[in-house]
Amino acid sequence: SPLLFSPSSQPSSSSSLNSVTSSFSAMEISPGFSPWKSYNTFAFSAIVSLLLMLPSDLKSCRRVASKTFPIKTSRIEFDLPDYSVRRRYQDFDWLRIKLEDSQPTHLIPPLPEKFVMKGVVDRFSEEFVETRMKALDKFLKRVADHPVLSFNPHLNAFLTAKDLNKRQGLALLTKVGESVKHVAGGYKIRARPAEFCAMGEYLDTFSQKLGTIDRIAQRILREQSEYLTELRQYGAVYSSWAGSEEQLQRPLEGVAGCVTTSCGALEDLSDNMSQDFLPVLREYVLYIESMKNVLRKRDQVQAEYEGRLEAAVLRKQEDRTPIPVEVEKCQDKVECFNADLKADWERWQRNKRQDFKQLLTGMADKNINYYEKCQAAWESLITLLQEKQTEDKTSETELN
Amino acid sequence: MAEDSKEDSVASNVDSDQQTPDGSLNNSVLADGSCLLRRMEICVAEAEKRSGKNAVSMQETFTVYLVETRPIDATAEGRSPPPDSLWRRYSEFELLRNYLIIAYPYIVVPPLPEKRAEFVWHKLSADNMDPDFVERRRIGLENFLFRVASHPVLSNDEILYHFLTKEHGWKEMVYETGFQAKADSRLRALSATFRVRSPHKRLVEMKHYSDGLQSHTAQLLRARTRVADRLYAVYKVHGNYGRVFSEWSAIEKEMGDGLQSAGHHMDAYATSIDDILEEEEHYADQLKEYLFYAEALRAVCRKHELSQFELEMASLDLISKKQQREELATGVCHTNINLKQYAMLPKACK
């Protein structure tokens, strides 16, 4: 049976960074630890299906003393036993940095935005927490889906350790790991293979298009909101008119009711757009950035190899020093990196197609849903008006 | 009594306007077949642009409408002779209506479609020459003729009959009736509103109702305009998706076709709003008809007030003249008019 990651959100008592007692090494995986074994097998061979399960009693997070932070829980179910760990966004961030450092040749999926402006976004609102949770769920799913990343010991620690010993300093740093890697600097790449050039161009254009779509979607949201305001006022006029009519009262109230229903349906559509559609777009922009970083790293590795090779060749020409082993190791590195990258690229493209197919069909479905709701309301009104018409006709013939 | 029957005409006129556009009637009040529409098919079939010289010899472009008529018994016998027809301008319809209003002050005369496009949302052409506007006006003029020709009183009017059948010389005929001289001064009518002593209860109710109806329909029309404006914007912004999906499809392999097609659908969606909103204009036209109907009702109430005011003044005059005659006969002079005379007023007016 498949492995289930179920992010859910529950309040937690304060857990300051100072209270981490267990050390990382103590929680290191022991072979006898059965969940780890079964997880490993599943992650590689089976389809990892991840469900986003929101507990019905989703409570907003409590503010504790002077510290306020959102808490998120990953609940991981195996065959037996049930297992759950509590993780914060910080922990996900730690995991990502660790993965990037330990697997520099691979594409690590993105996390949702780390920093949100206080006062602009409510970090404790249900909507924000839900959106973030879905993104974190996706992150884990993608990592678990990856044939190499899923075996990473840091992932294992993340999933099983009671408390992560993150070595405080590291958790607070953003991209330190990445910048450390680029100390290699000073080497300029000579001949980037065409396929990697093509990847770079694709990513640039794709990112640009996603940005445009994001802006259009935001504009639509604004226009829909203005439309909603006017529509509400429009419905109100029918209601007020109904108050001064006798025979026409029910029909006019009926129209007002239809307009109100349409307003509700429109609100749902707009909410969905901002909660489900836009976040995915933005996440892919981050994903593209990650991919571009990996391409840059690859360039660096190739540049380093080219630089060393050139230096070694020159030396050989001068005093017949043989080409050092390091240079051959560099060549291996380049070839490995290229192979890993190509494999990741294919996988990423596949996932991208799937994700966007889902996204765009979802958008179409929600729109259809909106129109269906409106249509149903108006059709029921027509029935009501037709009934009234026959009512009026019979009462007229009775009078005459 | 005369006044009661006038009230009935007013009442029945307000109720009798239930007919379907094909001219068939469903109101039993008209079952006696006295109205013109029973004897004659009428329609406003077409509209055409013309140019000519106007009253001050300046070149102008205007629209004329083809009014077709055909006696009903002709088709009933299975024959289908071609209809008689003539061309009329909007201003001639206006002239007809102004005549009817003055000639039948106690009747709520059906309204014409608006002279100029009002309550426009900004993309809609406010141009009187716009083909959509002309088409809707044609429908409105036809509706006007249906309503007038199915009215028990109005439909028997000679001027109406000649409007439908006599292309040339009709205008002169109307002016010869001298109706313009009988038009009330607006100022007199207004002052009458405030000085009527015992206003008729039903008329007061009608006045309030017509004010309410005017206010509500006007509000509704304005709100609808704003909604149309916003909805237009929503649809049009979706059109931007069309271009970006198309550009995106260029860099994709497997997804390319799907995205391209999605882009086309977005374009189609964005253009669909034009027809939707044009159709909604027909709904707005029907609201406008009742906005103008409310104005016509108000006008009848106003005329009634004026008549009542004049009657009250005349009665007062009569009382004072009688009093003078008495004084002259008996030699006794009354210096004050006592309040009893005002108490007599309602009886005098009935």
Side-chain angles (χ1 to χ4, degrees), chain A residues 364-399:
Chain A
D365 282 338
K366 286 289 189 267
N367 271 281
I368 291 172
N369 201 243
Y370 160 68
Y371 285 107
E372 282 176 343
K373 281 189 214 166
C374 294
Q375 186 180 6
W378 291 107
E379 277 179 349
S380 71
L381 176 67
I382 288 177
T383 317
L384 184 140
L385 292 174
Q386 281 168 342
E387 280 168 8
K388 175 149 177 56
Q389 230 177 6
T390 32
E391 252 177 55
D392 289 347
K393 279 214 173 96
T394 46
S395 65
E396 240 180 67
T397 48
E398 277 164 20
L399 281 174

Short mmCIF file of all heavy atoms in Angstrom, two decimals, chain A residues 364-399:
data_model
loop_
_atom_site.label_atom_id
_atom_site.label_comp_id
_atom_site.label_asym_id
_atom_site.label_seq_id
_atom_site.Cartn_x
_atom_site.Cartn_y
_atom_site.Cartn_z
N ALA A 364 -10.31 25.59 -16.08
CA ALA A 364 -11.47 25.47 -16.97
C ALA A 364 -12.66 24.90 -16.21
O ALA A 364 -13.78 25.41 -16.31
CB ALA A 364 -11.12 24.59 -18.17
N ASP A 365 -12.41 23.87 -15.41
CA ASP A 365 -13.49 23.26 -14.64
C ASP A 365 -14.15 24.25 -13.69
O ASP A 365 -15.38 24.31 -13.58
CB ASP A 365 -12.96 22.08 -13.82
CG ASP A 365 -12.77 20.84 -14.68
OD1 ASP A 365 -13.41 20.76 -15.74
OD2 ASP A 365 -11.99 19.95 -14.28
N LYS A 366 -13.32 25.03 -13.02
CA LYS A 366 -13.89 26.00 -12.07
C LYS A 366 -14.75 27.04 -12.78
O LYS A 366 -15.79 27.46 -12.28
CB LYS A 366 -12.77 26.70 -11.29
CG LYS A 366 -12.14 25.81 -10.24
CD LYS A 366 -13.10 25.58 -9.08
CE LYS A 366 -12.45 24.89 -7.93
NZ LYS A 366 -12.54 23.47 -7.88
N ASN A 367 -14.29 27.45 -13.96
CA ASN A 367 -15.07 28.42 -14.72
C ASN A 367 -16.40 27.81 -15.16
O ASN A 367 -17.45 28.43 -15.06
CB ASN A 367 -14.29 28.90 -15.94
CG ASN A 367 -13.44 30.12 -15.61
OD1 ASN A 367 -13.96 31.24 -15.56
ND2 ASN A 367 -12.18 29.93 -15.37
N ILE A 368 -16.33 26.57 -15.65
CA ILE A 368 -17.56 25.89 -16.07
C ILE A 368 -18.51 25.77 -14.89
O ILE A 368 -19.71 26.03 -15.01
CB ILE A 368 -17.22 24.49 -16.64
CG1 ILE A 368 -16.47 24.62 -17.97
CG2 ILE A 368 -18.49 23.67 -16.85
CD1 ILE A 368 -15.94 23.32 -18.50
N ASN A 369 -17.94 25.41 -13.76
CA ASN A 369 -18.73 25.28 -12.54
C ASN A 369 -19.47 26.57 -12.22
O ASN A 369 -20.65 26.57 -11.87
CB ASN A 369 -17.75 24.93 -11.41
CG ASN A 369 -18.47 24.30 -10.25
OD1 ASN A 369 -18.49 24.85 -9.16
ND2 ASN A 369 -19.07 23.17 -10.48
N TYR A 370 -18.76 27.68 -12.35
CA TYR A 370 -19.35 28.99 -12.08
C TYR A 370 -20.54 29.25 -12.99
O TYR A 370 -21.62 29.63 -12.53
CB TYR A 370 -18.28 30.06 -12.26
CG TYR A 370 -18.80 31.47 -12.48
CD1 TYR A 370 -19.46 32.15 -11.47
CD2 TYR A 370 -18.63 32.10 -13.70
CE1 TYR A 370 -19.94 33.43 -11.67
CE2 TYR A 370 -19.10 33.38 -13.91
CZ TYR A 370 -19.76 34.04 -12.89
OH TYR A 370 -20.23 35.31 -13.11
N TYR A 371 -20.34 29.01 -14.28
CA TYR A 371 -21.44 29.26 -15.22
C TYR A 371 -22.60 28.30 -14.99
O TYR A 371 -23.77 28.69 -15.13
CB TYR A 371 -20.93 29.17 -16.66
CG TYR A 371 -20.13 30.38 -17.06
CD1 TYR A 371 -18.75 30.31 -17.20
CD2 TYR A 371 -20.75 31.61 -17.25
CE1 TYR A 371 -18.02 31.43 -17.52
CE2 TYR A 371 -20.02 32.73 -17.57
CZ TYR A 371 -18.65 32.64 -17.70
OH TYR A 371 -17.92 33.74 -18.01
N GLU A 372 -22.29 27.07 -14.60
CA GLU A 372 -23.37 26.12 -14.34
C GLU A 372 -24.22 26.57 -13.16
O GLU A 372 -25.45 26.47 -13.18
CB GLU A 372 -22.79 24.71 -14.08
CG GLU A 372 -22.38 24.02 -15.36
CD GLU A 372 -21.72 22.67 -15.13
OE1 GLU A 372 -21.28 22.39 -13.99
OE2 GLU A 372 -21.64 21.91 -16.10
N LYS A 373 -23.54 27.09 -12.12
CA LYS A 373 -24.30 27.55 -10.95
C LYS A 373 -25.23 28.70 -11.34
O LYS A 373 -26.40 28.74 -10.95
CB LYS A 373 -23.33 28.04 -9.86
CG LYS A 373 -22.69 26.94 -9.06
CD LYS A 373 -21.92 27.54 -7.88
CE LYS A 373 -20.69 26.71 -7.58
NZ LYS A 373 -19.74 27.37 -6.70
N CYS A 374 -24.68 29.65 -12.12
CA CYS A 374 -25.49 30.79 -12.53
C CYS A 374 -26.66 30.33 -13.39
O CYS A 374 -27.80 30.75 -13.20
CB CYS A 374 -24.66 31.79 -13.33
SG CYS A 374 -23.36 32.57 -12.35
N GLN A 375 -26.36 29.41 -14.32
CA GLN A 375 -27.41 28.94 -15.21
C GLN A 375 -28.53 28.28 -14.42
O GLN A 375 -29.70 28.51 -14.67
CB GLN A 375 -26.81 27.94 -16.20
CG GLN A 375 -27.79 27.51 -17.26
CD GLN A 375 -27.17 26.51 -18.23
OE1 GLN A 375 -26.04 26.07 -18.05
NE2 GLN A 375 -27.90 26.16 -19.25
N ALA A 376 -28.16 27.45 -13.44
CA ALA A 376 -29.16 26.76 -12.63
C ALA A 376 -30.07 27.75 -11.93
O ALA A 376 -31.29 27.58 -11.90
CB ALA A 376 -28.47 25.85 -11.62
N ALA A 377 -29.46 28.81 -11.39
CA ALA A 377 -30.26 29.81 -10.68
C ALA A 377 -31.27 30.47 -11.62
O ALA A 377 -32.45 30.57 -11.31
CB ALA A 377 -29.34 30.86 -10.06
N TRP A 378 -30.81 30.89 -12.80
CA TRP A 378 -31.70 31.58 -13.72
C TRP A 378 -32.77 30.64 -14.27
O TRP A 378 -33.91 31.05 -14.49
CB TRP A 378 -30.90 32.21 -14.87
CG TRP A 378 -30.06 33.37 -14.43
CD1 TRP A 378 -28.71 33.41 -14.31
CD2 TRP A 378 -30.51 34.67 -14.03
NE1 TRP A 378 -28.30 34.63 -13.85
CE2 TRP A 378 -29.37 35.43 -13.69
CE3 TRP A 378 -31.77 35.28 -13.95
CZ2 TRP A 378 -29.45 36.75 -13.25
CZ3 TRP A 378 -31.84 36.61 -13.52
CH2 TRP A 378 -30.69 37.32 -13.18
N GLU A 379 -32.40 29.38 -14.47
CA GLU A 379 -33.41 28.44 -14.99
C GLU A 379 -34.52 28.22 -13.97
O GLU A 379 -35.70 28.14 -14.32
CB GLU A 379 -32.74 27.10 -15.36
CG GLU A 379 -32.14 27.16 -16.75
CD GLU A 379 -31.45 25.89 -17.17
OE1 GLU A 379 -31.25 25.00 -16.30
OE2 GLU A 379 -31.13 25.78 -18.36
N SER A 380 -34.14 28.16 -12.69
CA SER A 380 -35.18 27.98 -11.68
C SER A 380 -36.07 29.22 -11.61
O SER A 380 -37.26 29.12 -11.35
CB SER A 380 -34.56 27.67 -10.32
OG SER A 380 -33.93 28.81 -9.81
N LEU A 381 -35.48 30.38 -11.90
CA LEU A 381 -36.28 31.60 -11.90
C LEU A 381 -37.29 31.56 -13.04
O LEU A 381 -38.46 31.95 -12.88
CB LEU A 381 -35.39 32.83 -12.04
CG LEU A 381 -36.15 34.16 -12.14
CD1 LEU A 381 -36.86 34.47 -10.84
CD2 LEU A 381 -35.21 35.31 -12.50
N ILE A 382 -36.85 31.09 -14.21
CA ILE A 382 -37.76 31.01 -15.35
C ILE A 382 -38.94 30.12 -15.01
O ILE A 382 -40.09 30.45 -15.31
CB ILE A 382 -37.02 30.49 -16.60
CG1 ILE A 382 -36.06 31.56 -17.13
CG2 ILE A 382 -38.00 30.09 -17.69
CD1 ILE A 382 -35.24 31.12 -18.31
N THR A 383 -38.66 29.01 -14.33
CA THR A 383 -39.75 28.11 -13.90
C THR A 383 -40.72 28.87 -13.01
O THR A 383 -41.94 28.81 -13.19
CB THR A 383 -39.18 26.91 -13.13
OG1 THR A 383 -38.02 26.43 -13.80
CG2 THR A 383 -40.21 25.80 -13.04
N LEU A 384 -40.15 29.61 -12.06
CA LEU A 384 -40.99 30.37 -11.14
C LEU A 384 -41.85 31.38 -11.88
O LEU A 384 -43.04 31.53 -11.61
CB LEU A 384 -40.08 31.09 -10.12
CG LEU A 384 -40.75 31.88 -9.00
CD1 LEU A 384 -39.99 31.67 -7.70
CD2 LEU A 384 -40.76 33.38 -9.28
N LEU A 385 -41.26 32.07 -12.87
CA LEU A 385 -41.99 33.08 -13.62
C LEU A 385 -43.08 32.45 -14.47
O LEU A 385 -44.17 32.99 -14.60
CB LEU A 385 -41.04 33.89 -14.50
CG LEU A 385 -40.05 34.78 -13.76
CD1 LEU A 385 -39.06 35.41 -14.72
CD2 LEU A 385 -40.75 35.86 -12.97
N GLN A 386 -42.78 31.28 -15.05
CA GLN A 386 -43.79 30.60 -15.85
C GLN A 386 -44.96 30.14 -14.99
O GLN A 386 -46.12 30.26 -15.38
CB GLN A 386 -43.17 29.40 -16.59
CG GLN A 386 -42.40 29.83 -17.80
CD GLN A 386 -41.55 28.71 -18.37
OE1 GLN A 386 -41.27 27.72 -17.70
NE2 GLN A 386 -41.14 28.87 -19.61
N GLU A 387 -44.64 29.66 -13.79
CA GLU A 387 -45.70 29.26 -12.87
C GLU A 387 -46.57 30.45 -12.55
O GLU A 387 -47.79 30.37 -12.52
CB GLU A 387 -45.11 28.71 -11.57
CG GLU A 387 -44.64 27.28 -11.68
CD GLU A 387 -43.79 26.86 -10.49
OE1 GLU A 387 -43.72 27.64 -9.52
OE2 GLU A 387 -43.22 25.77 -10.54
N LYS A 388 -45.90 31.59 -12.33
CA LYS A 388 -46.65 32.79 -11.98
C LYS A 388 -47.54 33.21 -13.14
O LYS A 388 -48.66 33.66 -12.96
CB LYS A 388 -45.69 33.92 -11.61
CG LYS A 388 -46.43 35.21 -11.36
CD LYS A 388 -45.77 36.10 -10.33
CE LYS A 388 -46.51 37.40 -10.18
NZ LYS A 388 -47.94 37.19 -9.85
N GLN A 389 -47.01 33.06 -14.36
CA GLN A 389 -47.79 33.45 -15.54
C GLN A 389 -49.06 32.64 -15.64
O GLN A 389 -50.14 33.18 -15.90
CB GLN A 389 -46.94 33.26 -16.80
CG GLN A 389 -46.93 34.47 -17.68
CD GLN A 389 -46.03 34.30 -18.89
OE1 GLN A 389 -45.49 33.23 -19.14
NE2 GLN A 389 -45.88 35.36 -19.65
N THR A 390 -48.96 31.31 -15.42
CA THR A 390 -50.16 30.48 -15.49
C THR A 390 -51.10 30.82 -14.35
O THR A 390 -52.31 30.86 -14.52
CB THR A 390 -49.82 28.98 -15.46
OG1 THR A 390 -48.65 28.79 -14.67
CG2 THR A 390 -49.61 28.42 -16.85
N GLU A 391 -50.52 31.10 -13.18
CA GLU A 391 -51.34 31.54 -12.04
C GLU A 391 -52.17 32.75 -12.41
O GLU A 391 -53.37 32.81 -12.19
CB GLU A 391 -50.42 31.95 -10.89
CG GLU A 391 -50.38 31.00 -9.71
CD GLU A 391 -49.38 31.50 -8.67
OE1 GLU A 391 -49.51 32.66 -8.25
OE2 GLU A 391 -48.48 30.72 -8.33
N ASP A 392 -51.47 33.76 -12.99
CA ASP A 392 -52.15 35.00 -13.35
C ASP A 392 -53.24 34.76 -14.38
O ASP A 392 -54.32 35.33 -14.30
CB ASP A 392 -51.13 36.01 -13.91
CG ASP A 392 -50.23 36.54 -12.81
OD1 ASP A 392 -50.55 36.32 -11.64
OD2 ASP A 392 -49.20 37.16 -13.14
N LYS A 393 -52.93 33.90 -15.36
CA LYS A 393 -53.92 33.66 -16.42
C LYS A 393 -55.17 33.03 -15.85
O LYS A 393 -56.29 33.42 -16.18
CB LYS A 393 -53.31 32.73 -17.48
CG LYS A 393 -52.42 33.44 -18.48
CD LYS A 393 -52.52 32.79 -19.86
CE LYS A 393 -51.77 33.61 -20.88
NZ LYS A 393 -50.41 33.13 -21.12
N THR A 394 -55.01 32.04 -14.97
CA THR A 394 -56.19 31.36 -14.42
C THR A 394 -56.99 32.32 -13.55
O THR A 394 -58.22 32.32 -13.60
CB THR A 394 -55.80 30.12 -13.60
OG1 THR A 394 -54.71 30.47 -12.73
CG2 THR A 394 -55.39 28.96 -14.48
N SER A 395 -56.32 33.15 -12.78
CA SER A 395 -57.07 34.07 -11.93
C SER A 395 -57.78 35.12 -12.77
O SER A 395 -58.85 35.60 -12.43
CB SER A 395 -56.17 34.73 -10.90
OG SER A 395 -55.23 35.54 -11.54
N GLU A 396 -57.20 35.48 -13.91
CA GLU A 396 -57.84 36.45 -14.81
C GLU A 396 -59.10 35.87 -15.41
O GLU A 396 -60.14 36.52 -15.44
CB GLU A 396 -56.88 36.80 -15.94
CG GLU A 396 -56.53 38.27 -16.00
CD GLU A 396 -55.58 38.54 -17.14
OE1 GLU A 396 -56.02 38.39 -18.29
OE2 GLU A 396 -54.42 38.84 -16.85
N THR A 397 -59.00 34.63 -15.89
CA THR A 397 -60.20 34.03 -16.50
C THR A 397 -61.27 33.82 -15.45
O THR A 397 -62.46 33.89 -15.75
CB THR A 397 -59.86 32.69 -17.19
OG1 THR A 397 -59.07 31.90 -16.29
CG2 THR A 397 -59.09 32.92 -18.47
N GLU A 398 -60.86 33.59 -14.22
CA GLU A 398 -61.85 33.45 -13.14
C GLU A 398 -62.59 34.74 -12.91
O GLU A 398 -63.79 34.75 -12.69
CB GLU A 398 -61.16 33.00 -11.84
CG GLU A 398 -60.93 31.50 -11.75
CD GLU A 398 -59.93 31.15 -10.66
OE1 GLU A 398 -59.73 31.98 -9.76
OE2 GLU A 398 -59.37 30.05 -10.72
N LEU A 399 -61.83 35.86 -12.99
CA LEU A 399 -62.45 37.16 -12.79
C LEU A 399 -63.45 37.46 -13.90
O LEU A 399 -64.49 38.07 -13.67
CB LEU A 399 -61.39 38.26 -12.78
CG LEU A 399 -60.60 38.43 -11.47
CD1 LEU A 399 -59.47 39.44 -11.66
CD2 LEU A 399 -61.50 38.90 -10.34
#
